[in-house]
């Protein structure tokens, strides 16, 4: 990767640079800064797209996201959203890559109500969060199944979406609280 810009507010260590070189070969570094949640955001230009990469305090990659134009969304994703939310219109979308899953984060609007829908590349709706204050996100069957399979004695205490749209689920597993 090359640094052609002068917006690098944070010097990047070798682990971050090596990750970018291996996963996003030929990428150009555009900027880097720490977000309010403590994650390091590195903006790159890769294959003609501006992508935002996020790393934790240990320089471990958390996820990458980039804007997707509505006409670039796969038809299966648009169809799934239209079927599940026929009265809403697509406002904007991002593609998100994580270590174990990739998905589209699609923001839908209906009047002054906005919701975020997470859809797999093959058109399966994964989870939904409303932008309405005081409303609870929907905890999908997939998340509940994951918790019951991996923590069979766990009780879900609370769950919410953080500022990055990541689902934070707090459970009590026996006498240990986990997040």
């Amino acid at each position: 990767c090359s640094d052609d810009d002068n917006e690098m507010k944070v010097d990047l260590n070798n682990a971050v640079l090596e990750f970018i070189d291996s996963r996003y070969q030929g990428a150009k570094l555009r900027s880097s800064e720490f977000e309010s949640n403590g994650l390091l955001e590195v903006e790159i230009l890769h294959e003609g797209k501006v992508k935002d990469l996020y790393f934790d305090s240990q320089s471990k990659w958390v996820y990458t996201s980039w804007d997707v134009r509505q006409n670039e969304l796969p038809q299966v994703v648009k169809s799934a959203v239209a079927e599940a939310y026929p009265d809403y219109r697509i406002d904007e979308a991002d593609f998100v890559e994580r270590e174990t899953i990739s998905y589209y984060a699609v923001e839908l609007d209906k009047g002054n109500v906005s919701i975020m829908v997470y859809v797999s590349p093959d058109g399966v709706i994964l989870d939904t969060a409303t932008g309405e204050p005081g409303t609870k996100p929907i905890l999908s069957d997939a998340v509940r199944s994951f918790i019951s399979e991996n923590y069979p004695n766990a009780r879900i205490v609370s769950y919410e979406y953080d500022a990055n749209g990541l689902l934070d689920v707090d459970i009590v597993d026996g006498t240990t609280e986990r997040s």
Side-chain angles (χ1 to χ4, degrees), residues 54-158:
Y54 295 89
F55 297 86
D56 67 15
S57 61
Q58 307 301 309
S59 299
K60 184 175 189 270
W61 175 68
V62 179
Y63 69 97
T64 300
S65 69
W66 62 87
D67 294 339
V68 177
R69 289 187 220 136
Q70 188 171 345
N71 64 353
E72 296 173 331
L73 281 172
Q75 186 58 48
V76 67
V77 171
K78 290 191 273 192
S79 296
V81 169
E83 184 178 321
Y85 301 93
D87 297 334
Y88 287 78
R89 69 168 185 78
I90 296 174
D91 182 45
E92 58 184 58
D94 291 326
F95 189 74
V96 179
E97 290 180 327
R98 300 181 65 77
E99 190 171 337
T100 58
I101 189 171
S102 294
Y103 56 88
Y104 291 91
V106 183
E107 184 178 329
L108 304 175
D109 289 339
K110 177 182 169 186
N112 60 357
V113 175
S114 292
I115 61 172
M116 186 67 74
V117 179
Y118 303 96
V119 186
S120 70
D122 58 351
V124 176
I125 294 181
L126 303 172
D127 224 322
T128 306
T130 67
E132 289 284 288
T135 59
K136 192 84 168 156
I138 298 168
L139 198 58
S140 71
D141 291 340
V143 171
R144 290 180 188 279
S145 293
F146 174 85
I147 292 169
S148 66
E149 288 170 15
N150 292 282
Y151 305 98
N153 299 318
R155 179 176 53 85
I156 298 171
V157 177
S158 66

Side-chain angles (χ1 to χ4, degrees), residues 4-19:
D4 293 339
D5 215 81
N6 60 357
E7 293 185 41
M8 305 302 287
K9 296 178 184 172
V10 177
D11 289 330
L12 303 179
N13 65 33
N14 286 340
V16 170
L17 292 171
E18 288 171 9
F19 177 86

